[in-house]
Amino acid sequence: MVLKQQTKEEKSHSRNEKKVSRKEKLPEWEKEGYVPPEEKPLAAEEQAKFDQRLEQFRSKMEGNKT
């Protein structure tokens, strides 16, 4: 019985010693020669809708500051 416990402990110990290597891909903006996409201004109608929603959000946030 004691021998079985020792082998279990040895196995778990050896698993913990393995090195884990992880490779991650570089994001596009980090690569050499990256050119950011061109920003286009919103149409006047879309800008007005955005400003309205932004104002609603800000008024809700100010109401929650109490």
Side-chain angles (χ1 to χ4, degrees), residues 3 5 7-8 12 30 43 59 66:
L3 292 176
Q5 287 179 345
T7 56
K8 284 183 182 179
S12 66
E30 182 66 25
S59 63
T66 56

Side-chain angles (χ1 to χ4, degrees), residues 41-53:
L42 292 176
E45 184 178 308
E46 291 175 345
Q47 184 67 44
K49 286 180 183 179
F50 176 79
D51 290 340
Q52 182 181 10
R53 290 189 68 196

Side-chain angles (χ1 to χ4, degrees), residues 23-38:
K23 293 188 178 184
E24 297 182 10
K25 293 173 77 176
L26 275 177
E28 291 296 320
W29 54 266
E30 182 66 25
K31 294 180 181 176
E32 192 172 319
Y34 172 73
V35 178
E38 197 174 304

Side-chain angles (χ1 to χ4, degrees), residues 56-66:
Q56 289 173 350
F57 176 76
R58 286 181 177 160
S59 63
K60 285 182 183 180
M61 291 279 82
E62 286 189 14
N64 291 337
K65 283 187 177 181
T66 56

